[in-house]
Amino acid sequence: MKETRKQDRNPDRKYSAPGYVPNLNQGLAYLLKVPAHVRRMTHPVTRLRHFIQFRLERLILRGAVARLLVIVLALAVVSLAGGLTAFYLTGAFDDPYASVWWAFLRITDPGYLGDDEGTWLRVISVTMTICGLVLLIGALIAIMTQWLNQTIQRLEKGLTPIVMKNHVLILGWNNRTTSLVEQLLTNEGRVQRFLDQFGERGLKIVILAEEIGPVLIQELKDRLGPMWRPRQVILRTGNPMRLEHLERVDYRHAAAVVLPAARFGEGSGDDESIIKTLMTAGTTPTGPLPFIVAELVDPDHIRAGRKAYPGPAEIIAKAVLSGRILVQTARYPGLSLVIEDLFDQEGVQIYLHQAKQFTGLPLKQLLECFDTAIPIGIVRAEHGLFVPLLGNKECLEENDLVAVIGYGFEDSKPLKKINTAPDVTIRKLLPTTPAPKSQTLLIVGWNSTLPSLLAEFDHYPDEFDSVDIASEKQLTERERLLQRKGVQLKNIRMRQLECDFTARSELEQLKPQDYDTIMIVANDWLDSADEADAHSLLGYLMLAEILEEKDRKPNIIIEAMVESSVSLFTSPGVELLITPRLQSHMLAQVTMRRDLNTVFEHLFGAGGAELALHPAAGMETTETFLQLQRELAAVGEIALGIRLARGQIELNPKKTASLSLAADDQIIVLRIPTGR
């Protein structure tokens, strides 16, 4: 008894204990302690209702077909309920099957309402018609509309695979994608010759981006203008590092795959994803691999990129090309206009021709084998070698390709036979192009091309006395990056300065008027290309304000990242290079003709022939460009065009037209510097 009373006094005892029967007061106490919503949730009827609701929810979320099935079941239930009700209440039907069919007709067609007689029959008929309007029309339209919207959204996301052959596939989206597409669509002649190899008539471009949407499509429309054709440019969503996403764009059947550097940003982190993409694309079990043009940021990764992909590929070092072009512009002020014109799709371009009829001819005599183009060298594709036209004793071999500068492929074809005798009479021996004078250089800003840029400057110890680098980026980070890249300058002096060049006081402390050349490079550690150009523009305006008060004016070279920034740098004496546009042009050209990569690597490097500007003083009496070309060839230089003192550029002028030069004009030449 004592033990039982002790249990009765325990307020936390369990009423479900075996052998225990609670009294009425204890049951009421329990109900008062349990919340009402808990009692409702545990009720059997409530659980049954929730079970049915949950099953319907899972069925409806399966898709449009499942939703339609639910509507059909609902129509069947309403028809059955309405028909049986009419059968038992009205007595107007001989059997329940006829009443159910009557109810179904009222649900599906409101026109039957006028045929019913009797109060109860009309009430049931109106009820069935209203249910039909809600279920059959309202719900059905809602389901079909939602299904159509979901289908369109899924298609717009670019998740469906394509089946295509001989298309050009671009993997990734960055600030140069629209420019690259424009380059491909503009070079119709070169593209058509490329497509002729596969028997295709029209170019098809497929872009695989991380996420596509109206913004990217509108960006393409704005850039391409009337060239935009939705059937010609197709976008798909995916990650190029995943094989199933590469299969989505049918990469195995592509004529060429372009893999540009992934994003605008600092460092070589993009190289990891590009190399992984190359390895992923090379894992195809059967069939030939497509030709890939890949762009890497760090030149140290070129060999790794070539090993990563077992198929045909051209690996381009993005930083090397930009660095070389900037260095050549610093060496020869005014050369940026020549480079821009050479990379302009509407101007002259570099073409490759076979000239088997001249097999065995000394290379220097090829100058006489072209009327409307200027040969600059030969490409031996099997060796990946470019041989300049002058400065060697090589002869043309049967499989060699002659690299020429011309206005079109057809117009730049070689003659059937040599134009004149090899022993051309030279009227006078012209002086060679003088080497650039030694200068001091200030580099403002910091980006991933700086290690390659500094290494390129180090190849010209007699032309650059010192190089100072001023940037907001911390000195320790810059020095660590240069050390990691193995940059050790042996021939020029370098000094690192920490400075915000958008602040006038800090910029004045640099004494910019004491430098011969000031180069403003884009800061790719910023968030976007537009922000980098805005930063460079502000720094340039501060620099121009300071130099207005000085007597000495250095040459100013500016690297821009967005083409819309061109109109903002319009001051005289400023050279502007849009390196992304040059890189896009090179990618497009190499995609269409892979042997051009050998030419580009040779033209802008320190190891071979180089573009230069020859003073026209002493050549004013030259009658034609052909005569000038022959006289310069005698001293080992190829005349490519004229740069007038007022800034106009004319590459590949008509050879037989009269030539009028002033002493301050310049001759654009291709030469091999002494000692190489």
Side-chain angles (χ1 to χ4, degrees), residues 1-10 13:
M1 291 295 293
K2 291 182 179 180
E3 185 177 350
T4 303
R5 291 174 181 172
K6 184 177 180 180
Q7 289 180 354
D8 291 342
R9 296 191 188 99
N10 184 7
R13 65 183 178 274

Side-chain angles (χ1 to χ4, degrees), residues 71 74-75 78 107 130-141:
I71 296 298
L75 288 174
V78 172
I107 289 176
I130 294 174
C131 291
L133 292 175
V134 173
L135 292 174
L136 188 62
I137 298 178
L140 184 61
I141 291 177

Side-chain angles (χ1 to χ4, degrees), residues 622-649:
T622 303
E623 297 178 357
T624 63
F625 185 78
L626 178 61
Q627 178 186 338
L628 176 66
Q629 193 176 54
R630 290 172 175 173
E631 291 175 351
L632 283 174
V635 295
E637 296 183 357
I638 303 176
L640 303 179
I642 306 297
R643 181 182 184 272
L644 301 179
R646 54 181 178 269
Q648 294 179 341
I649 298 293

Side-chain angles (χ1 to χ4, degrees), residues 335-456:
L335 193 63
S336 61
L337 296 177
V338 179
I339 296 174
E340 287 282 352
D341 194 66
L342 187 61
F343 279 86
D344 187 1
Q345 63 265 27
E346 297 181 359
V348 297
Q349 294 189 23
I350 300 176
Y351 297 95
L352 298 177
H353 287 285
Q354 285 189 332
K356 294 185 177 181
Q357 65 271 31
F358 300 122
T359 300
L361 190 71
L363 296 186
K364 62 181 180 180
Q365 295 185 17
L366 288 177
L367 283 171
E368 307 294 338
C369 300
F370 293 84
D371 263 349
T372 56
I374 303 174
I376 59 176
I378 61 170
V379 176
R380 287 177 175 159
E382 64 273 12
H383 303 295
L385 180 66
F386 177 82
V387 181
L389 203 66
L390 302 177
N392 59 75
K393 298 180 180 180
E394 295 282 341
C395 294
L396 185 69
E397 298 180 1
E398 184 178 4
N399 295 325
D400 289 344
L401 298 173
V402 183
V404 301
I405 291 179
Y407 280 98
F409 183 80
E410 296 296 330
D411 294 337
S412 61
K413 284 186 175 181
L415 301 171
K416 294 183 179 180
K417 61 179 181 179
I418 194 168
N419 199 12
T420 59
D423 52 345
V424 178
T425 302
I426 304 300
R427 183 184 60 174
K428 60 181 178 180
L429 194 64
L430 298 177
T432 58
T433 303
K437 297 180 180 179
S438 179
Q439 57 178 309
T440 56
L441 176 69
L442 172 64
I443 299 177
V444 179
W446 182 270
N447 60 31
S448 57
T449 67
L450 258 296
S452 298
L453 182 65
L454 293 173
E456 192 70 19

